[in-house]
Amino acid sequence: MQIPGHIDPVPLPAKITPREDGRADLTGLSQLEIRDIFSAAGQDEKQAKLRSKQVFHWLYHRGVTDFAEMTDLGKQLRSWMDERFVVGRPEIVEAHVSNDGTRKWLLRSADGQDYEMVFIPDADRGTLCISSQVGCTLNCRFCHTGTMRLVRNLTPGEIVGQVMLARDALGEWPKGAMDALEENESVTSYESDGRLLTNIVLMGMGEPLYNFENVRDAMKVVMDSSGLALSRRRITLSTSGVVPMIARVGEEINVNLAISLHAVNKETRDEIVPLNRKYSIEELLQACADYPGASNSRRITFEYVMLKDKNDSDQDARELVNLLRQYDLPAKVNLIPFNPWPGSDYECSEPERIKAFSKIIFDAGISAPVRTPRGRDIMAACGQLKSASEKKSRAELDRLAEEKQAALG
Ligand code: SAH
Ligand code: SF4
């Protein structure tokens, strides 16, 4: 082995910054990036390739966070890695389990930024809803995250880290000897049933198409068949309509697309999704029509939040059908009952109104299920947990200030 035993600095991919203790977090790196680290440390091409394959497997197939457990790597190499690297996870600030089984986490990055992740178990699938940014630059009027300012984009490591953490929490890493597993288990059997986490949706905090490159790199790692191995068909990226980026999603990751449409005319959409002033409904639907791979078996989801007397009339439903037909879109519509938050401007449409709206779309031959609200008891709506936590800490600070005053007085 050509790797020296003492601590030499190793050139790192630009997107990882060393932590305070000088070690760098490998989570989120691709096999190629891990290989580059070994090459830069002086290993020959063949060695670097083999080592990166082994490390990648331990990281993303087995979920190992301790180099000592990577038993097919030499002892010297393991301690060399331990001196320079960590396999990190986001810090858990809060973890909640709803009485309907929904789980929600408030996570914290190494530089103290909080973001949310939700897991929604269903009979036939388990969906992890992950964040792409801390906050959001867009200000959709019904969205609580929209009231926060954007703090920063999440890195690929922080995005992949959410999936890794969920696997940890659900106890879903394969156990046993790696060799035995590799002999008996094909990639397909690894992907097979019985897993809790089967799907990923980029519907947490942030606009994924304003952080596309990090989201893309993270999803490539998540889709790699020798690691987490989630198929692109089980990943859905939701956008509020960043039109110029939609083609790149198709070309570079080709995951399922969801569009936060929410309104069918300019006036209403301008109000509730202000990005509409920049990219019109027509441009957005044309980008959807051009999306590669959109077909009847792989339809584009149109999300539509039901806001009382704002976007929920029969006329709106008919116009929605017209638009989807006009652009010949293989579509399904997801009707989302509005989840109110303190200070929000809107109310949720009445259940009867939502039913009538749904029926018009169904009758036109387009699927339009009403999404059941999940985890309301644990504030599972986008952005709510983070601000509750911030409020709590402000209240806590006030209490401490009062105590201090009292002590001084
Ligand atoms: N920024 C992206 C992805 C995150 S938002 C986007 O806008 O598509 C994901 C979904 O959560 C959006 O469809 C949005 O409509 C929905 N959402 C946000 N706040 C909501 C609320 N208070 N009630 C119901 N749905 C909400
Ligand atoms: Fe941002 Fe999406 Fe919320 Fe709009 S709905 S403010 S784009 S997170």
Side-chain angles (χ1 to χ4, degrees):
M1 191 173 64
Q2 296 177 8
I3 288 181
H6 60 94
I7 302 181
D8 285 335
V10 175
L12 300 169
K15 61 190 175 196
I16 47 172
T17 27
R19 308 180 321 160
E20 263 174 22
D21 64 4
R23 296 193 293 173
D25 192 345
L26 295 182
T27 305
L29 295 192
S30 67
Q31 198 163 311
L32 214 62
E33 287 165 329
I34 299 172
R35 193 170 84 185
D36 289 345
I37 289 177
F38 287 126
S39 301
Q43 291 205 350
D44 66 40
E45 207 181 308
K46 212 172 140 214
Q47 280 280 324
K49 196 172 169 192
L50 175 68
R51 297 286 176 246
S52 64
K53 201 172 164 218
Q54 290 168 309
V55 170
F56 190 88
H57 191 92
W58 283 114
L59 252 57
Y60 301 113
H61 183 91
R62 304 299 300 273
V64 161
T65 52
D66 184 352
F67 294 108
E69 285 180 48
M70 302 186 181
T71 46
D72 58 351
L73 302 178
K75 259 205 174 135
Q76 207 189 338
L77 177 59
R78 280 186 256 160
S79 55
W80 180 87
M81 295 199 73
D82 196 39
E83 282 160 356
R84 290 162 181 80
F85 303 106
V86 292
V87 182
R89 296 287 192 263
E91 180 194 337
I92 299 174
V93 183
E94 290 178 32
H96 303 265
V97 182
S98 159
N99 47 28
D100 68 12
T102 302
R103 292 168 169 231
K104 179 151 187 167
W105 293 265
L106 183 65
L107 305 176
R108 183 163 294 163
S109 64
D111 62 346
Q113 303 301 341
D114 292 355
Y115 51 100
E116 301 179 357
M117 172 174 93
V118 182
F119 178 72
I120 306 154
D122 277 305
D124 60 339
R125 66 175 66 187
T127 307
L128 186 69
C129 175
I130 60 178
S131 293
S132 56
Q133 299 182 307
V134 179
C136 187
T137 43
L138 300 169
N139 301 305
C140 302
R141 283 272 289 274
F142 55 85
C143 172
H144 196 255
T145 303
T147 64
M148 302 171 187
R149 65 189 180 91
L150 174 78
V151 180
R152 69 168 171 82
N153 285 336
L154 291 177
T155 63
E158 288 160 344
I159 299 170
V160 178
Q162 295 173 61
V163 184
M164 310 280 274
L165 188 74
R167 279 256 162 108
D168 292 348
L170 299 168
E172 287 209 301
W173 298 108
K175 304 268 186 302
M178 187 169 77
D179 295 353
L181 261 162
E182 279 192 328
E183 270 168 33
N184 301 334
E185 200 181 46
S186 68
V187 169
T188 3
S189 71
Y190 176 74
E191 278 179 349
S192 69
D193 294 342
R195 271 184 192 282
L196 295 169
L197 197 174
T198 59
N199 292 54
I200 292 179
V201 293
L202 281 145
M203 292 187 188
M205 292 168 69
E207 168 49 59
L209 297 192
Y210 277 164
N211 183 21
F212 178 62
E213 277 156 23
N214 288 353
V215 165
R216 173 201 61 198
D217 292 350
M219 290 307 106
K220 282 188 169 170
V221 169
V222 166
M223 291 189 285
D224 191 313
S225 61
S226 50
L228 290 156
L230 255 107
S231 140
R232 66 186 172 83
R233 291 170 190 279
R234 292 190 171 274
I235 299 175
T236 302
L237 183 150
S238 172
T239 178
S240 55
V242 186
V243 170
M245 296 304 293
I246 291 178
R248 284 188 67 188
V249 180
E251 281 156 26
E252 297 175 39
I253 42 177
N254 201 14
V255 294
N256 300 322
L257 195 60
I259 302 289
S260 291
L261 191 64
H262 306 314
V264 288
N265 61 62
K266 178 164 168 52
E267 196 195 342
T268 315
R269 196 162 192 268
D270 275 356
E271 176 190 324
I272 64 181
V273 185
L275 186 65
N276 195 63
R277 296 175 203 157
K278 199 163 174 188
Y279 307 114
S280 67
I281 295 178
E282 292 73 26
E283 286 171 282
L284 179 56
L285 296 180
Q286 188 55 51
C288 292
D290 297 338
Y291 192 73
S295 66
N296 268 332
S297 62
R298 198 156 174 258
R299 288 171 292 174
I300 295 175
T301 304
F302 289 88
E303 294 157 280
Y304 200 99
V305 64
M306 299 300 298
L307 303 172
K308 188 175 181 178
D309 299 332
K310 182 50 68 181
N311 63 358
D312 63 351
S313 69
D314 285 355
Q315 171 69 20
D316 288 314
R318 281 190 220 104
E319 184 54 24
L320 179 55
V321 169
N322 285 343
L323 283 172
L324 298 177
R325 281 195 180 143
Q326 191 185 327
Y327 287 85
D328 199 19
L329 289 166
K332 55 185 171 192
V333 176
N334 223 335
L335 299 177
I336 314 169
F338 171 59
N339 195 351
W341 35 273
S344 57
D345 295 333
Y346 306 107
E347 279 174 65
C348 184
S349 312
E350 299 296 337
E352 287 311 311
R353 182 87 298 272
I354 301 180
K355 257 191 224 157
F357 194 95
S358 169
K359 187 170 184 310
I360 292 173
I361 304 168
F362 264 118
D363 286 349
I366 301 167
S367 157
V370 181
R371 206 199 276 170
T372 327
R374 300 287 300 264
R376 288 225 165 158
D377 54 330
I378 55 164
M379 295 180 290
C382 186
Q384 280 188 305
L385 199 58
K386 178 174 158 92
S387 38
S389 153
E390 278 168 1
K391 268 195 216 108
K392 191 163 60 194
S393 55
R394 261 199 302 276
E396 190 85 329
L397 284 176
D398 289 349
R399 190 179 58 76
L400 289 173
E402 272 169 30
E403 276 177 12
K404 216 166 157 189
Q405 275 292 330
L408 286 172

